[in-house]
Amino acid sequence: MNAEPSLPRHHLPPESVAELVRGEGGPATLGLLLDGERSRRLLLLRMLDDATELGPAWDLLSAAQRRAPHVVDDLLMYPQTGMWLTTALRRLRGTLPQDDPPLSVVLGHISALAATAALRAELDFAIDVPVRHGRVPLPTLGCAMVPATEPWSTATVRAAGGRAVVEAPGASIAVPLPLGSPGPGWHPMRRLAVGPADQRLDVALDDVDPYRTYPQPTEPRPLSDEAAAQWRRVLEEAWQLLLREQPETAGAMRRGVLSLTPTPAGERFRPRSVSAGDAFGGIEASEPDDAVQLAATLVHEFQHTKLGGLLHLTPLLAPGAHEDGKELWYAPWRDDPRPLEGLLQGIYAFMGITGFWRARRWSAGADSAVAHFEFALWRAQVGVAMNQVHRHPRFTQHGTALLDTLRERCAKWLQEQVPVEQTALARLCADDHVARWRAHHLRPPAPAVDEAARAWSAGASEPPASLAAAPAVVPNPYARWLDSLAMLVRHRLSDADEDRPWSDEPEKAATRVNGALPADSLLIAGDALTACDAYVAHLTVEPNRADTWAGLGRALALTGIEPTAARLLCNTPERARAVHAAVSRAVGRAPDPIHLAAWLGSSSPA
């Protein structure tokens, strides 16, 4: 393959940088990001060839490039090619686990790319390619299914005289022509083209490329025709929504969204979606609840795509003393603490989500309550995230400009009117989430906790001042579902016409949401007093459950009972949780959680 002898130096003009800094970016800016990605891929491919001597595959790619350069360029820019390149180089350098698949299978993917390029360029050829658990994936085309007696082997892709086959022991699978057609033993990769001709989104529905899932590769899992048809229907609806409500974003997506990898549906209101900087233009997404959810997912992941492209051209964060990941931050959209790089990605993505709901709330009709709630929730949470790291010394000039611009926009959004009910629910959920995060991941100094436990047991009038010391961030890998209150709100607002068991049957309402307690349902239903009793009852059974301490604080605050305890539990629940456990260990019985929290909050440490 003839890599360019001298790749261009890429830079973004000020107007494109300004677009991206604002969280935007039109088709022209996306084109510049794609140009940078192309050069990056070529450099990675050359590095791989230098490290491994790609041999016949390189020669076949070169021949395809001479015959049809646009075909090779299209393959090079396919998101999964970028993911494979970085995976292969990391495996070679030993920075990824050296387990399945074998390195030979990873490196052999270049032969599958070469075979695809040659087929699309209509060359005559023969080349060996990897077989993965009986499947032979050819990127952008599909995969052949062959008999397999072992997980990893090879097959031969052969083309001559306008006929192409995949040959393996015991099988010869014809690759149907024209490419993209189904056939016996052959599953084609589908393409979804939705929208009017002049505003069409054309993406690969990728269910076969091993590098379609991020960050770990997975084996091909072809969709049924029925599942693919459902994806087409919901994508068509989501795209029409984006064309109406986010036309500028949709225009840029036509250039920057290249593939969609479907995964099984998850819990209602908890979709899973992933993108990767190494796979520019690729989105992995679970089957959505509806078109609105898919539209929001596309906006979310497209924000990551744009920021990833920008980061490949200019740094937004300078190297610093905390690059080892010890400096961790609260991310309101995550259960776990995040490094600064990850927090910045989330800020950029959720500014896009906030803008999506800001526009959506005026056209949502019967669903306007949900849209108002989402806008109010995300503007508050993104604002909290940005305020944490504002003026952080690691931000470069461009990084500072980006954060300052987004903060200014968010500040304006925070001034916009939202109905009182949705505003109150959003504030409740935002405050609860950060309290649950603190209870899970913050640890007061152990000597101060022990001193407080001794003081409580001795009948001291107030806790020791040492408890006011800053807590340490100690990630709890078991933290899950910190957004349970927000999930319950979404159910409540979305199911307005159903028989809602919010106060009469809180156990039933809680079963709708993973991680939710009956007390959480009572809190959302507005019965804070009963919720208090339910939280206390749960603490007698499971006193170390972090979510319960945070929920108790929120319930106490709404009732007005024990305001000192409420303030402590709302702001620093980690203190009550830690001291409660220490007292229980020391004296063999658990103290009353509300009395303990009131005592802990009785002086400045609260």
Side-chain angles (χ1 to χ4, degrees):
M1 181 179 176
N2 298 317
E4 298 171 55
S6 99
L7 295 173
R9 293 180 63 86
H10 295 278
H11 72 280
L12 293 173
E15 58 272 20
S16 293
V17 173
E19 285 182 358
L20 293 168
V21 160
R22 293 193 302 269
E24 301 167 355
T29 295
L30 263 292
L32 294 172
L33 294 180
L34 284 164
D35 289 343
E37 288 298 312
R38 180 179 183 275
S39 291
R40 181 174 182 271
R41 301 272 177 90
L42 286 167
L43 286 170
L44 293 174
L45 190 58
R46 174 55 73 186
M47 290 168 62
L48 190 61
D49 183 50
D50 289 344
T52 62
E53 295 293 333
L54 298 175
W58 186 267
D59 294 340
L60 186 57
L61 270 177
S62 298
Q65 187 184 49
R66 289 191 294 270
R67 170 72 70 86
H70 66 282
V71 164
V72 175
D73 195 63
D74 183 59
L75 270 176
L76 182 72
M77 292 307 298
Y78 192 58
Q80 280 58 285
T81 301
M83 201 69 206
W84 164 71
L85 280 166
T86 53
T87 299
L89 287 167
R90 288 166 184 157
R91 283 287 298 269
L92 283 170
R93 294 170 178 170
T95 57
L96 284 180
Q98 302 297 308
D99 50 10
D100 285 347
L103 180 60
S104 60
V105 174
V106 176
L107 297 178
H109 190 72
I110 185 67
S111 297
L113 285 165
T116 298
L119 284 169
R120 292 175 58 180
E122 300 180 350
L123 296 176
D124 291 348
F125 69 95
I127 190 169
D128 290 340
V129 299
V131 178
R132 310 173 66 108
H133 297 272
R135 302 191 187 276
V136 184
L138 298 180
T140 75
L141 297 183
C143 72
M145 279 71 83
V146 300
T149 58
E150 54 190 72
W152 318 109
S153 58
T154 60
T156 300
V157 181
R158 192 184 310 276
R163 181 175 178 269
V165 295
V166 177
E167 296 176 339
S172 180
I173 306 300
V175 179
L177 301 175
L179 295 171
S181 305
W186 174 257
H187 177 83
M189 184 183 294
R190 302 173 179 90
R191 295 201 67 87
L192 304 183
V194 296
D198 60 339
Q199 297 176 307
R200 182 159 294 161
L201 177 68
D202 188 344
V203 299
L205 186 67
D206 195 338
D207 53 355
V208 296
D209 194 300
Y211 299 94
R212 73 196 183 282
T213 52
Y214 318 130
Q216 297 297 325
T218 54
E219 300 313 313
R221 293 187 180 91
L223 288 177
S224 67
D225 290 341
E226 294 77 13
Q230 173 60 18
W231 272 97
R232 182 181 297 278
R233 284 191 293 270
V234 73
L235 181 62
E236 178 75 59
E237 294 177 27
W239 186 242
Q240 293 294 346
L241 184 154
L242 290 171
L243 288 175
R244 290 192 309 270
E245 300 179 12
Q246 307 264 298
E248 294 181 359
T249 297
M253 279 185 185
R254 293 181 64 209
R255 295 208 66 180
V257 175
L258 307 176
S259 75
L260 181 60
T261 295
T263 60
E267 182 183 351
R268 188 183 178 198
F269 298 120
R270 276 183 174 140
R272 178 186 179 274
S273 64
V274 187
S275 55
D278 294 324
F280 187 97
I283 295 175
E284 178 187 351
S286 59
E287 182 181 339
D289 297 342
D290 53 32
V292 176
Q293 188 179 87
L294 180 57
T297 295
L298 293 175
V299 169
H300 178 160
E301 298 303 340
F302 187 52
Q303 289 290 101
H304 283 306
T305 293
K306 290 185 294 183
L307 187 61
L310 176 61
L311 287 168
H312 285 162
L313 296 176
T314 185
L316 301 179
L317 295 170
H322 297 288
E323 282 187 294
D324 57 2
K326 291 183 179 178
E327 185 182 58
L328 297 171
W329 301 89
Y330 169 60
W333 38 85
R334 298 275 301 213
D335 292 332
D336 56 334
R338 299 293 288 159
L340 187 57
E341 291 81 357
L343 184 65
L344 180 60
Q345 282 280 354
I347 287 168
Y348 200 79
F350 280 93
M351 276 296 290
I353 287 294
T354 308
F356 171 85
W357 288 110
R358 177 175 179 263
R360 177 69 188 155
R361 64 199 187 110
W362 303 119
S363 57
D367 296 325
S368 61
V370 174
H372 282 302
F373 166 75
E374 298 287 4
F375 171 62
L377 176 65
W378 293 118
R379 68 178 180 177
Q381 293 194 318
V382 173
V384 166
M386 289 191 286
N387 288 338
Q388 288 183 109
V389 295
H390 187 230
R391 305 302 182 198
H392 193 287
R394 282 190 58 201
F395 279 101
T396 65
Q397 181 180 357
H398 282 144
T400 298
L402 182 143
L403 192 65
D404 286 350
T405 302
L406 296 182
R407 282 184 80 238
E408 181 179 348
R409 174 170 289 189
C410 189
K412 292 178 180 177
W413 288 350
L414 283 164
Q415 300 304 312
E416 295 186 11
Q417 292 297 312
V418 174
V420 172
E421 180 187 3
Q422 283 80 59
T423 299
L425 287 170
R427 175 48 57 195
L428 172 68
C429 293
D431 290 345
D432 178 77
H433 189 278
V434 68
R436 292 183 189 223
W437 186 91
R438 291 184 65 99
H440 274 286
H441 301 298
L442 297 190
R443 297 290 179 271
V449 171
D450 291 339
E451 185 182 1
R454 290 193 297 271
W456 166 267
S457 299
S461 60
E462 60 182 33
S466 60
L467 204 60
V473 179
V474 182
N476 175 6
Y478 302 106
R480 295 288 187 277
W481 305 308
L482 274 60
D483 59 350
S484 293
L485 280 196
M487 293 297 115
L488 287 166
V489 168
R490 291 177 178 115
H491 277 277
R492 180 181 178 185
L493 295 178
S494 298
D495 300 340
D497 296 330
E498 296 183 9
D499 178 20
R500 296 175 301 176
W502 298 106
S503 56
D504 295 338
E505 300 178 75
E507 293 84 0
K508 182 177 179 181
T511 61
R512 299 183 176 194
V513 175
N514 279 326
L517 295 168
D520 295 330
S521 295
L522 289 164
L523 192 62
I524 292 303
D527 190 355
L529 189 60
T530 308
C532 281
D533 294 338
Y535 282 124
V536 170
H538 193 80
L539 283 171
T540 63
V541 177
E542 198 173 359
N544 201 41
R545 179 160 175 165
D547 296 347
T548 314
W549 288 100
L552 177 59
R554 209 60 49 198
L556 286 171
L558 290 173
T559 63
I561 298 173
E562 294 288 355
T564 304
R567 185 170 61 253
L568 184 285
L569 290 172
C570 286
N571 296 328
T572 54
E574 68 277 6
R575 293 180 188 172
R577 182 184 180 220
V579 175
H580 188 274
V583 171
S584 300
R585 289 193 301 269
V587 303
R589 65 180 183 277
D592 179 273
I594 297 178
H595 291 166
L596 176 64
W599 178 76
L600 289 170
S602 63
S603 65
S604 57

